[in-house]
Amino acid sequence: MHWKYIIVHHTGAEEKNTAQIRNYHRRLGWRDIGYHFVIERDGILVPGRVQCERGAHCAAGNMNGLALGVALIGNFELRAPNPEQLATLDSLLRRLMAEHRISLTGVLGHGEVNGANTACPGRYLDLRALREGLGNGS
Ligand SMILES: [Zn+2]
């Protein structure tokens, strides 16, 4: 796969852990969890679907074939992501951007994708601040 984008999601629910999401996605008949990475509530990063497979996280814009999918567990329409989750997200995005030569403009929230009619990743995940942080070389 040649990844051009990274799409950030919330799961929209307060699942216990990645295994619960994986079981749910498999029950939908998918081969595996739809996201490539999951960041659990305590900031622990858990691999999802292998990176050599197209995702199942954003049908709009053909993004399942163009974008790595990263999901944070939680509903960020109702609460803010935990600081531990944001710290893990920041370092994961830096690593993936470097690995796949993806620029800041390639880091999108699910709802920023043309044709994706969703509040994901939620009003309390501040995408502008996220990208600003990534733009600072720290
Ligand atoms: Zn989403």
Side-chain angles (χ1 to χ4, degrees):
M1 304 295 301
H2 179 62
W3 303 114
K4 292 195 167 84
Y5 300 92
I6 305 164
I7 296 183
V8 177
H9 302 262
H10 69 165
T11 61
E14 299 291 344
E15 293 94 345
K16 192 172 51 173
N17 54 29
T18 308
Q20 192 182 342
I21 303 167
R22 178 172 259 129
N23 288 340
Y24 170 61
H25 286 176
R26 284 194 172 137
R27 276 204 308 277
L28 295 177
W30 301 355
R31 291 157 56 90
D32 194 3
I33 188 168
Y35 310 111
H36 294 97
F37 297 94
V38 176
I39 298 173
E40 297 189 337
R41 222 173 269 98
D42 52 7
I44 298 290
L45 176 66
V46 180
R49 176 174 295 227
V50 290
Q51 277 193 55
C52 58
E53 274 189 23
R54 44 186 287 125
H57 58 90
C58 178
N62 190 32
M63 283 297 188
N64 283 328
L66 296 172
L68 288 163
V70 178
L72 284 68
I73 289 183
N75 183 341
F76 304 146
E77 282 287 279
L78 301 177
R79 67 164 176 97
N82 295 328
E84 294 85 353
Q85 290 182 296
L86 289 174
T88 301
L89 180 62
D90 182 86
S91 58
L92 174 66
L93 290 174
R94 285 173 194 277
R95 170 159 75 80
L96 294 176
M97 288 166 71
E99 223 169 89
H100 300 283
R101 298 164 177 262
I102 294 168
S103 69
L104 261 185
T105 55
V107 178
L108 300 172
H110 186 181
E112 293 177 320
V113 176
N114 274 337
N117 186 18
T118 174
C120 178
R123 75 185 78 181
Y124 294 113
L125 200 164
D126 186 341
L127 293 163
R128 190 179 304 173
L130 176 71
R131 278 187 291 256
E132 263 172 32
L134 290 169
N136 301 329
S138 66

